[in-house]
Amino acid sequence: MIKRSELLYFTLRNRKLVIGSGIILGFLLLALIGPTFAKYRPMDYASPLGAEPPSAKYWFGTTFFGQDVFSQFVHGLRATFIVGLLGGGLGTLMGMLIGFTAGYRGGVVDEILNAFTNIVLVIPTLAVLLIIAAYLQVRSLLMECLFIGLTAWPWAARAIRAQTFSLRSRDFVDLARLSGMTSLRIIRDEIAPNMMSYLVLVFILQFGGAILTAATLDFIGLGPTNTISLGLMMQYAVLWGALPLGMWWWFVPPGLAITAIVGALYSMNVGLDEIFNPKLREI
């Protein structure tokens, strides 16, 4: 087990983790307080002219229809973090539930859960979403989070199952069984704490994966219909010819933000892996 002082020492020395955390914190603060500085609502027609470049009045310029890009950007950032937190959190939670159960119980339970995981793993996610979108006229951000979370857990479940399978035969788990602890309590009090660093890494990967999936769905027109997001901003920009019109301020901010956030998350993941794994640490 890593001591707190040792953990803090290697954390502050790890550039990947420090830089990645700084980028995420910066965007998170902008998502939280940015809307308070926005002069207009995301879909309001702020400018009668439209397609205005960045200026003192319109910090990020306006869209082809005169909507304030900065207002859309900060609200889209908030939606991005919500998708990452809820979608990635749900995927991690389901992966933990199925992975812990399959890895600890083994036998028939493991075979059934493993078969279920394989079925979900090969389901054509995009095709299912197309079918759902055909029947739903209004799609919410929460619905997108649920769909991402319910389809993103199989790889996490497999990884957690493998880790649990290796820990269940350890001496401290055998002692817990002999003391009369229930299976649920053994997983909660003995196995999960010894996998905490690994679970954190899984959540970060799920967080970034959820953001990328949401951006992809939004970009192809299958995202929420009652809100704005970074992916939807890029879809609208492409749909109304922002690139050939030279309106770079419409699509560059959301594209850079998605790239920076996901890149920072994966940088944090590598940094944490180096901290938790003594063989990878930089002395």
Side-chain angles (χ1 to χ4, degrees):
M1 187 68 71
I2 304 176
K3 297 179 180 180
R4 291 184 179 180
S5 58
E6 183 182 358
L7 181 63
L8 180 61
Y9 172 78
F10 285 106
T11 297
L12 295 177
R13 285 177 57 88
N14 193 288
R15 295 181 180 179
K16 300 182 185 69
L17 180 58
V18 172
I19 294 175
S21 301
I23 293 173
I24 294 299
L25 182 60
F27 277 111
L28 181 59
L29 289 175
L30 184 58
L32 293 175
I33 66 176
T36 61
F37 293 97
K39 302 175 183 178
Y40 310 95
R41 289 182 295 181
M43 307 309 292
D44 284 351
Y45 298 104
S47 170
L49 300 178
E52 294 194 37
S55 62
K57 185 176 182 181
Y58 306 109
W59 295 349
F60 284 15
T62 64
T63 69
F64 184 81
F65 302 99
Q67 297 157 327
D68 185 42
V69 175
F70 177 76
S71 299
Q72 293 189 348
F73 180 76
V74 292
H75 284 86
L77 268 180
R78 182 174 292 183
T80 295
F81 278 102
I82 290 174
V83 168
L85 180 62
L86 297 182
L90 179 59
T92 304
L93 184 63
M94 290 195 62
M96 289 170 57
L97 178 64
I98 294 177
F100 278 138
T101 304
Y104 182 77
R105 300 290 296 183
V108 178
V109 174
D110 181 32
E111 292 180 5
I112 294 174
L113 291 178
N114 198 34
F116 177 60
T117 301
N118 292 333
I119 292 173
V120 177
L121 195 61
V122 299
I123 290 178
T125 305
L126 184 58
V128 173
L129 186 60
L130 285 169
I131 296 173
I132 294 175
Y135 287 95
L136 296 176
Q137 299 298 322
V138 178
R139 298 182 297 275
S140 66
L141 185 66
L142 179 60
M143 186 177 300
E144 184 176 55
C145 294
L146 287 173
F147 182 83
I148 291 173
L150 292 175
T151 55
W153 58 265
W155 72 265
R158 281 186 166 186
I160 294 172
R161 169 190 173 274
Q163 293 287 328
T164 305
F165 193 80
S166 66
L167 287 174
R168 71 173 187 174
S169 58
R170 299 289 181 88
D171 292 339
F172 64 89
V173 176
D174 291 335
L175 289 174
R177 290 196 195 97
L178 292 175
S179 67
M181 292 176 63
T182 62
S183 299
L184 178 60
R185 190 175 174 186
I186 291 175
I187 293 174
R188 185 191 66 188
D189 297 343
E190 302 295 336
I191 295 179
N194 284 278
M195 291 176 55
M196 191 56 63
S197 60
Y198 188 78
L199 296 177
V200 171
L201 299 180
V202 169
F203 173 70
I204 291 177
L205 289 177
Q206 286 279 10
F207 197 107
I211 290 176
L212 280 179
T213 302
T216 302
L217 296 176
D218 296 347
F219 186 73
I220 62 177
L222 297 177
T225 56
N226 57 356
T227 187
I228 190 70
S229 69
L230 299 181
L232 285 173
M233 288 180 65
M234 297 180 65
Q235 188 220 7
Y236 295 152
V238 172
L239 187 62
W240 295 103
L243 183 59
L245 291 175
M247 298 171 60
W248 57 267
W249 57 87
W250 194 353
F251 58 85
V252 168
L256 284 179
I258 292 173
T259 303
I261 291 173
V262 174
L265 286 169
Y266 283 97
S267 178
M268 289 174 59
N269 186 76
V270 173
L272 285 172
D273 192 24
E274 292 176 353
I275 292 172
F276 293 136
N277 190 345
K279 295 180 181 180
L280 299 178
R281 291 179 191 168
E282 297 179 2
I283 306 300

